Amino acid sequence: MRLSQSIILLALGFVPLSMVHGETLIQDVVDSLLDAKMQQVNITAAPVADDYNILRRTTLDLIGRIPTSAEVDRYVTSEDSDKREQMVDQLLQSPAYQKHLAYDLNLLLSPAGNNELQSYLELAVTQRRGWDQMFRAMLLGDYEDELERQAMKFVKLRVKDLDNLTNATSSLFFGVNISCAKCHDHPLVIEWTQAHFYGMKSFFNRLFENGDFVGEREYGALKYQTTDGEQLDAQMMFLSGKAIEEPQWTSPDAEKQKAEKKQLEQLAKDKQPVPVPQYSRRAQLLDIALRGDDRSYFSKSIVNRLWYRTFGYGLVMPLDQMHPSNPASHPKLLDFLAQDMSDHGYDLTRLIRGLVLTQAYARSSRYDGETRPPQMWFAVANVKPLTPQQYAAALLFGARNPSQFVSEDVVKAQAEIDSVHAQARTLAVKFDVPSDEFQVSVDEALLFSNDAALEKDLLANREDRLIGELMILSTDAEVVATASKSIMNRPVTKQEQRVMMKYLKHRKDRREAAVIQLVWALLTSSEVRFNY
Amino acid sequence: MTLQKSFSRRRFLGQSTLAGAGAAASVMSLDILKSEAFSKQLKQKGKRVLLLWLAGGVSQLETFDPKPGRLTGGPFQAIQTAVPGVEISELMPKMAMRLKHTAIIRSLNTKIGDHGGGSRLMHLGRRDEPNLSYPDMGSVMARELGRLDSKVPDYVTFYTATEGRGNAVGHPGFLGSRYAPMFLTTDNKPQNLRRLETISDLDHRERADLRRVLSARFSQGRVSPVLGSHNVAYGRVRGLMSSEALFDITREPKSIQDKYGPTLFAQQTLVARRLIEAGTPFVKVSRAWWDSHGQNFETHLEMVTELDHVMSTLLDDLQERGLLEDTLVITLSEFGRTPTINGSLGRDHFARAWSATLSGCGIRGGTVFGSTDEDGQHVKDGEVGAAELFATIYAAVGIDPHHEYYVGSRPVPLVDVGTEVISEVLA
């Protein structure tokens, strides 16, 4: 393994310092390959973002909330040369990191609006299970194991529609959307034919729902019709085109079928799972998908998804179109990371850590040059819409009295933070889950503009809220500075200060209302709505 | 995913409100006036659609395709209409007199006979696909007929009943939240259109200005479509708030209110007319619940009578205001009802041979397209499905039904490839 990494690096004439000590760091490889490409296409990267920006970005990405004012102070005043690495490792060790990753994985893996997989994902992430283990558990989990029983929701929620299950599995785990190949050979990708779609579907065609469980039969074939009207038998086939031979099987006679039906009814009644057959077609998919060269679909797909989650744009876009006619922007980099993933037990956190420690991740999202470089070069950070959970947390933390999170007692301060963070779940239901081409809806803007409950939640003049704290400050300058730091996690600029102080000054006769409006304008500003 | 549409009128007109439109706008504006695309866009200008969604499945036999004297016909007679040779159910005497504005399509075979699946099909005009989220008709209309910076809502839907509401949810799919409906369920007024009493109008406006200034600073050097959409959404708030009065029918003269009558369906249809008049391109008013598995004839006696009154009042009102020419009124369900009358004197779900109507804009009034056999069990001629119906609806308001959106590199036509418009019903 180490040898292959070294070869890649040497081929580029790049030897990171850390290799002297014998270890190749993900972040070094990423940066060297991104830099090489930028040089090749003659693009200058945006400068590195400031500490405030990096802390907010990393905290949102890793644990799903904004930092508190105290956390901001601690980070920016630290003079440790490796403070960024320390901050990242501290975040990665917190329970909030596991919760947040599980939340995002659930958004990815569950049908819209469903969170039945989340508890499984949270435990799997906490136990640092590999992505391959999670994949196995979600497709062929052992019902005797309480954790894997929950994982099987992936199949259970889709088993009524096997086309959907086939597509979801292929898109989410292999980065290949083959739905176009259902009715005809794929029009854009010569590699994908109807045989591929039905070949993939054959891995699932014996699945059925039995009570609370998913069962699989030992028999059953899948037929399909070509565009020429020819009726064909589907054969199990992986995306790579490898067909799978299976042992002879026969359909049971009527009597056996009757007995089987009776047995299944009894199992459903007793709330017992259906035993997995000796020969499982599903198990064949797990074998081939994680074997040898075929594994690269699985490895590259998770790398691309985590890359997208971190950078707001994939190495391959769209995420479910990873096929030869749509190559990666950085093929060597994708290969390297996929190999690293599979060499390290599909440890998601290892990759996430490497990516957030890159220089590319720390670049500013602001580009003042003439033409903003295309996203595919990662020369400038993307502005990413927050997920409902992140946005709710950003609002709630921003609107709290910042002194609430400060205490001599570290445990107590953390408990306060966790308590506010937990409330984000309720508020989150009001916001849309961002998709690739996300647009903020006018309903959201109307909600913020005129909803009484939201106003009560975020803009109350109470001791535990930001407004309560601002009302006891003596100068407008302090009000502006405290509010900006709490909500935007940074010092206010001169220009902003001027605008906000003018706003307050014009409303001397109604100071409380003025302060509330100021906080509203900050909370609803674009800076809070996005990770930038 | 990227969504492209070249030469869109709103993209063109709305450039200034979209961050990052760049210098291309001025170059394009020179060419676009000459282009064929632009003249096509003019045809869509000012066109609107009002969908009367008859949730649960209205019976074609008790409305637009009666079979009097047959075993399947039920107790009601057919009556002559203003169009010679065309008869409809006696439950619709008012529409019978006004049929010259309306085309009836009697030959729908849509194949899906459950409420959920049927409703999805008749909202999208096609079947769902697992990995591509299609927009429904309302979202397509909002995009094609609306203005990006519109001060009135461009897609409003009423659904007060709880039965079947989850089936009839509008969904912008890959077009994005900008084209999501304002979905009214509990009230005739949308939520959050009215300023709270805790803030004065002046402060409400000025805090929005402050928000805009702060966000504009942030947007510098960070141009992106998603960031632009955030500010576009806030930019529409004040305009939409000023449209609140549109939802208040007490602002209509008493005579008009009386014409529509006191039922909820009638009142919501009147709101719909007010919205249409103010420029909202798509409104859906839902009337539930037509699912008459038992007592079909009592149910239809009551509900068709109301439909007849509301629909004819609406057509009269639109015509008097000179709006009918530009407004397409549709009646549609998820399916029709079985000709066979069941043991509970009900009719069941039936997607094999049923009817829909199109009135007003772009429609050749008084036409009947297609027919069913004498018992109404099968389509006799002119069989069409959801795709043909949707293609025809788009064509009626000047939208090319074969227009393609791009989702990534994938072309997605408005209706499935190979679909033909029912040109017989188009003016």
Side-chain angles (χ1 to χ4, degrees), chain A residues 365 437 449 496 507 510, chain B residues 1 203 206-207 217 222:
Chain A
S365 59
E437 265 307 283
S449 299
E496 287 168 336
R507 286 165 178 73
R510 49 187 193 284
Chain B
M1 285 197 275
D203 279 358
E206 291 193 353
R207 79 173 182 184
R217 190 214 62 85
R222 289 196 179 89

Side-chain angles (χ1 to χ4, degrees), chain B residues 224-285:
Chain B
S224 81
V226 63
L227 182 51
S229 80
H230 190 233
N231 293 312
V232 167
Y234 277 88
R236 291 182 67 209
V237 165
R238 296 280 306 177
L240 287 177
M241 285 172 67
S242 67
S243 75
E244 196 199 4
L246 294 174
F247 295 87
D248 181 4
I249 55 167
T250 64
R251 292 176 186 244
E252 285 286 318
K254 178 108 185 1
S255 61
I256 296 281
Q257 292 182 50
D258 290 346
K259 268 188 193 160
Y260 278 83
T263 68
L264 190 61
F265 178 49
Q267 293 188 343
Q268 290 174 341
T269 303
L270 177 52
V271 175
R273 197 277 288 148
R274 286 173 61 80
L275 287 163
I276 291 282
E277 187 173 37
T280 298
F282 188 88
V283 186
K284 177 172 88 184
V285 181

